[in-house]
Amino acid sequence: MRIVLQRSKEASVTVDGQIVGAIDKGLVLLVGVTHEDTAEAARFLADKVVNLRIFEDEDGKMNHSLLDVGGSILSISQFTLYGDCRKGRRPNFMDAARPDHATEIYELFNEELRKHVNVETGIFGAMMDVQLVNDGPVTLILDK
């Protein structure tokens, strides 16, 4: 799995002109799944995401987790995170998982997150418009 994590002040995802998910303070996750990803990887990364200390304390240091600040998550599936652009001018998506496997791992990942925090999502496989106010900006990449 590969996740691009962005700390946000607010975010939303729109499909066909309708907002399908929105959060206030929290994290926006762009989530990619590859062929070898397992339930174990999804559980590991969900735990990592909710416990990462990337929110500032009263001294301005990154000492608080999403759990500490009571934030939410906007989780967006994004197979393009596994686009390989090393050759040619068109990305190769051979490393992205097929939709049936990707859906299973992505949904499990979100279920694990929901054990701890509010999670909003887009629609798997849909064309989505994502809006966010990046807080910091703080952007990290997580791989498993």
Side-chain angles (χ1 to χ4, degrees):
M1 290 182 73
R2 183 171 292 155
I3 299 170
V4 174
L5 174 153
Q6 297 179 317
R7 195 173 72 182
S8 66
K9 293 181 179 181
E10 62 181 310
S12 65
V13 60
T14 303
V15 176
D16 294 329
Q18 298 288 342
I19 294 176
V20 296
I23 63 167
D24 291 321
K25 182 177 185 167
L27 300 173
V28 174
L29 308 178
L30 305 176
V31 182
V33 178
T34 191
H35 311 289
E36 297 85 26
D37 286 332
T38 63
E40 178 185 337
R43 288 184 190 99
F44 174 85
L45 283 172
D47 182 68
K48 174 72 84 172
V49 166
V50 298
N51 287 293
L52 271 177
R53 297 184 331 172
I54 57 173
F55 291 90
E56 295 173 354
D57 64 14
E58 47 285 337
D59 295 324
K61 295 191 186 277
M62 288 188 188
N63 273 330
H64 293 304
S65 70
L66 186 66
L67 298 173
D68 296 329
V69 300
S72 297
I73 289 176
L74 179 60
S75 176
I76 309 293
S77 63
Q78 189 161 357
F79 78 95
T80 59
L81 290 178
Y82 280 100
D84 184 348
C85 299
R86 291 177 290 181
K87 293 182 181 177
R89 295 184 182 195
R90 183 179 307 151
N92 172 331
F93 297 106
M94 297 300 291
D95 289 338
R98 299 192 60 72
D100 56 337
H101 180 65
T103 302
E104 177 184 337
I105 297 298
Y106 173 69
E107 292 299 332
L108 174 63
F109 173 72
N110 290 329
E111 288 173 26
E112 290 296 317
L113 292 171
R114 284 187 178 105
K115 291 178 180 178
H116 306 283
V117 297
N118 174 55
V119 178
E120 297 283 324
T121 65
I123 297 175
F124 189 92
M127 289 296 292
M128 297 176 270
D129 296 327
V130 180
Q131 294 185 347
L132 79 136
V133 176
N134 197 321
D135 182 14
V138 173
T139 302
L140 300 167
I141 299 172
L142 305 174
D143 279 305
K144 176 70 177 155

